[in-house]
Amino acid sequence: MGFQQKRSIACVCMLLPLMLCFFRATAMVQVKPKEKPNILVILADDMGYADIGCYGSEIHTPNLDQLAATGIRFREFYNGARCCPSRASLISGLYAHQTGIGHMTNDPEDSTSFQYHLPAYQGSLNFNCVTIAEVLKSAGYQTLMSGKWHLGYHDKNKWPLQRGFDKYFGILAGAANYFHPTGGRGLTLLNEQVEPKGDHFYITDAFTDYAIQFIKEHKEQNEQPFFLYLAYTSPHWPLNALQADIKKYRGKYKQGWSALRKERFERMKQLGVLPADAILTPDDGADWDKLSPEKQDEMDYRMAIYAAQIDRMDQNIGRVIETLKASGELDNTVIFFLSDNGACAEGGILGAGKKALLGTEGGYFLNYGQSWANASNTPFKKYKHWVHEGGIGTPLIVHWPDGIPTVETGKFANQYGFLPDIMATIVDVSGASYPLHYKGNAISPMEGKSLLPVIRGKEEPIHREPIFWEHEGNAAVRLGNLKLVKEYHPSGESHWELYDLAQDRSEMHDLAADMPDQVRAMSEAYNQWAARVGVVSFDKISAIIKQKQLDKQQKKQH
């Protein structure tokens, strides 16, 4: 072998380690980026802020607690105070008024019940908004839904499959009996009405069965990512639960709502949900000690059934998580869990519906009442319908192993957000394009901001601009730590209250008289927003409702 050949071989040998490093580095650069994440939004219905274990509850929710322990929790996240306005805002990334559901969705029994012939009050989702499902089509997602729709009933163009979903199972209406959903409050599969299957039908289980079926079918048939919207009716009335679940809680609430509030309040401080100096609002329930033993037993039963509904929902969420684990999809699935409004005080101070129906498969307007709702919303005041913290405060758990840094897991986010942020976050993580025009219609721009920086541990505000609420004349503005809020009174006595939520999340110390300039500036911002999105005074809405009722009565008489 000649000298030149030897030198060439020697050079190659010397360069070989450098070449290997180069190829390794090149390979690292060329590694395929992580696939787009699957997205799962789980929505509870009429569940209070303090109703799950990781937010202070005694109710057994190990699956949600585990999602929180390996994800992040928001202390301050907001919904829209009522079922269908919240769902409209969540699904669209807009304020509910911009979608045509400024009040409620038309009932199955009456196609015009909430149609007020005003742009923001049409009673169904309009076509100047797009749903998350429609937006995710631009990023190649398969779109799936199981559960409660409540965004339009009387025209198939308003149903899930016509609003971007590839598959749907659930109830189109707002509420149904859990064991026997029938008629206009029955079940829909794809675009067809179907009957409950099996001898042991329970709606929470059925929603989960179809969610799991859709995930498995997706895994077998598609390589694209999926979006699943799992919208439970639990724990919305009627009080319907399985006996095995009720037995876990029967007799555990005989200390009453006041004692339960105190227990939850202390637990919330221990968990870090509330600061050590938090204030518990005054009790807003009946005097437990003045109830007869028989009434106490009945109220224990009502709360036990309510707790059982949440417990069963958590069991079913566990089934979905196990399905994702088994398919290898859990780590790259972004999961959001939240509630559509605060706890429900409908039914009066001690609830409504016949005692004889408790623990049976019967009932419709069968609920637990304001006294227990006060405990569900610990430590806040007010309920569903109102926009004080008890009406709009919700737990929010975000779980995403591939997207949340390990050092952030188990922590609380220290920033606040609201429903339109879910759309913005989903657009951000999916790479989808939010359109300004869709199917020939102009689309309102997104109102939310992405939560992704906060989810990844960045400590900076999500919202530097004010955000707003209005429902049935109840109104609020949040800007930084300050919240301006007003409870509607038909007599015209409504007035603005001002709170510093950094010091007073329970809204106990009204600063309005001390900070009139701030009240003036924030109320003016509210007025400008209300004009922009089409809010109409609830006095006018009430007059329309009254006239509709009179017209209906006159038709019956003739």
Side-chain angles (χ1 to χ4, degrees), residues 45 59 61 176 178-179 202-204 232-242 245-246 249 302-316 366-368:
D45 196 348
I59 299 171
T61 56
Y178 284 58
F179 294 100
Y202 187 68
I203 205 165
T204 307
Y232 288 112
T233 52
S234 179
H236 191 292
W237 49 261
L239 292 172
N240 288 151
L242 298 166
D245 298 323
I246 297 171
Y249 300 98
R302 289 179 186 269
M303 184 62 190
I305 297 171
Y306 177 86
Q309 289 173 300
I310 293 174
D311 186 310
R312 193 70 179 191
M313 176 177 64
D314 182 82
Q315 292 176 49
N316 276 283
L366 180 66
N367 50 39
Y368 74 161

Side-chain angles (χ1 to χ4, degrees), residues 110-131:
D110 184 350
S111 63
T112 64
S113 50
F114 294 97
Q115 165 59 276
Y116 304 147
H117 301 288
L118 296 164
Y121 302 86
Q122 298 290 309
S124 61
L125 204 66
N126 64 31
F127 293 97
N128 296 115
C129 65
V130 282
T131 69

